[in-house]
Amino acid sequence: MGIFQMSLLKRIFNLAKPYWKKLAVISAIIITMSGLRQVEPFVLRQITDNIVAVGGDSDSQFPSILVGLLFSFLGVKALIVVLNRLSWYLTNKFTYIFRFSLREAGFSHLMNLPMSYFNQKQSGQLMSQLDRGTQQITSIINNSGMYFFPNVITALIGLVVVLRFNVWIGLAMLFAYIPVGFINYLKFKRNQSLEKEENVLYDKQYGHFWEAISGIELIKSFAAERFELKRLKSFNTSIFDIRSRIEKNHNIFALADIFLEGWVWAIYTWIVYLTFRGNFTVGT
């Protein structure tokens, strides 16, 4: 993110200051859940290595340690499911409360503006900007809390674990994200300008159609229904064109995902080779 995006993100989180305690609880649950997700592979590793050690002898007694490990694995999975549902419940509840508090603040601000401001603006355009703005703010906080930060935490924990086993594999995983991050940054910048263009067009046309419905008697008196429908079709065409360009950008930059999958496959192949040479156990 650039300086502008970071300052914007800081302003958004300042708006959520009255709800920081709720966000702290949600964050603690998400961090706990991220940690538990890293426990799963370790339990599976122990299960796999114990099975390999025992072998496929049908006369062998089922190791008691495997029973404990299997129930531990079940307990971890159950706890993750419970925490996941709890985090979504608290997040969705927070989202509605925060969104409507922002709408109240926005409406209160509009009520204190002078009449000269409203003479220059369409009411529909103002309502569109207010509604879209509150949804975007809550969406940014939701995506940051439920997706971005948990993924970053999980990735960092995973990287530390891999570095403990093999430094070179850990570095290979880390370096993969340098070109991928750069490609995604280019995609973000290209789509950002298109989304701004879309928002301006949407607010302008939404405001017009709001006014058209409010003044439907005037439109009918001038028999301007066909003109308004033609304008709506023109608006839809423009919006579809912008969305099409955004999706084409996603298609082009999907090359980053292909590159990352190829890189991961190469690392996996390397790990299989090292396991074959005895550097790792099968469970590892």
Side-chain angles (χ1 to χ4, degrees):
M1 281 190 176
I3 297 174
F4 172 74
Q5 285 77 22
M6 290 301 295
S7 62
L8 180 61
L9 191 62
K10 184 178 179 180
R11 286 176 59 192
I12 288 172
F13 276 95
N14 281 334
L15 290 172
K17 198 170 183 178
Y19 307 98
W20 277 7
K21 288 183 180 179
K22 288 184 173 64
L23 288 173
V25 172
I26 295 171
S27 299
I29 293 172
I30 291 171
I31 292 171
T32 303
M33 202 162 48
S34 298
L36 287 172
R37 285 202 172 103
Q38 302 308 310
V39 173
E40 288 183 79
F42 281 100
V43 178
L44 289 174
R45 172 196 173 196
Q46 293 297 324
I47 292 171
T48 304
D49 286 342
N50 274 277
I51 292 172
V52 171
V54 172
D57 188 359
S58 59
D59 295 328
S60 300
Q61 186 176 1
F62 192 78
S64 58
I65 190 173
L66 281 178
V67 177
L69 288 170
L70 288 168
F71 276 105
S72 298
F73 183 65
L74 177 63
V76 171
K77 295 289 284 185
L79 189 55
I80 288 174
V81 170
V82 172
L83 289 175
N84 185 57
R85 181 56 215 151
L86 181 61
S87 66
W88 276 109
Y89 167 75
L90 293 175
T91 300
N92 290 334
K93 189 175 178 181
F94 159 75
T95 298
Y96 282 109
I97 294 172
F98 186 46
R99 182 181 298 167
F100 284 103
S101 71
L102 287 175
R103 286 177 178 173
E104 287 178 13
F107 188 74
S108 175
H109 176 70
L110 288 173
M111 291 295 99
N112 291 319
L113 292 175
M115 278 301 300
S116 58
Y117 177 82
F118 294 96
N119 292 333
Q120 300 170 2
K121 294 283 186 178
Q122 292 178 313
S123 56
Q125 185 175 356
L126 290 173
M127 293 305 296
S128 174
Q129 290 172 339
L130 179 61
D131 188 61
R132 178 172 52 79
T134 54
Q135 286 191 12
Q136 284 184 340
I137 289 172
T138 50
S139 177
I140 288 171
I141 291 180
N142 258 12
N143 290 334
S144 298
M146 297 304 296
Y147 297 105
F148 179 73
F149 291 120
N151 287 340
V152 169
I153 292 168
T154 302
L156 289 174
I157 294 173
L159 181 62
V160 170
V161 170
V162 173
L163 285 170
R164 285 183 59 217
F165 286 103
N166 190 296
V167 174
W168 295 111
I169 292 176
L171 291 175
M173 291 174 60
L174 182 62
F175 288 146
Y177 286 93
I178 296 175
V180 171
F182 178 71
I183 292 171
N184 282 329
Y185 174 75
L186 292 178
K187 180 180 72 173
F188 168 76
K189 294 301 291 183
R190 288 181 66 172
N191 282 346
Q192 186 184 41
S193 61
L194 288 172
E195 286 171 356
K196 285 181 179 178
E197 182 182 342
E198 180 187 35
N199 290 337
V200 171
L201 179 62
Y202 187 85
D203 290 339
K204 182 179 178 181
Q205 295 304 320
Y206 186 91
H208 172 78
F209 295 127
W210 179 289
E211 298 294 338
I213 293 299
S214 301
I216 191 66
E217 293 181 359
L218 186 62
I219 289 173
K220 286 185 174 294
S221 66
F222 283 96
E225 295 94 337
R226 296 180 70 177
F227 171 79
E228 292 298 334
L229 285 172
K230 185 177 179 181
R231 179 165 180 163
L232 177 61
K233 288 181 179 179
S234 175
F235 162 69
N236 288 341
T237 301
S238 300
I239 285 290
F240 291 152
D241 176 65
I242 294 172
R243 292 311 306 181
S244 177
R245 283 186 282 164
I246 290 174
E247 291 305 319
K248 284 180 180 177
N249 283 338
H250 283 298
N251 292 339
I252 293 170
F253 289 103
L255 292 171
D257 296 329
I258 296 173
F259 168 80
L260 186 59
E261 289 298 327
W263 193 286
V264 170
W265 173 84
I267 292 174
Y268 180 74
T269 303
W270 184 14
I271 292 170
V272 169
Y273 173 77
L274 292 176
T275 304
F276 178 75
R277 290 296 181 187
N279 295 68
F280 298 133
T281 65
V282 175
T284 302

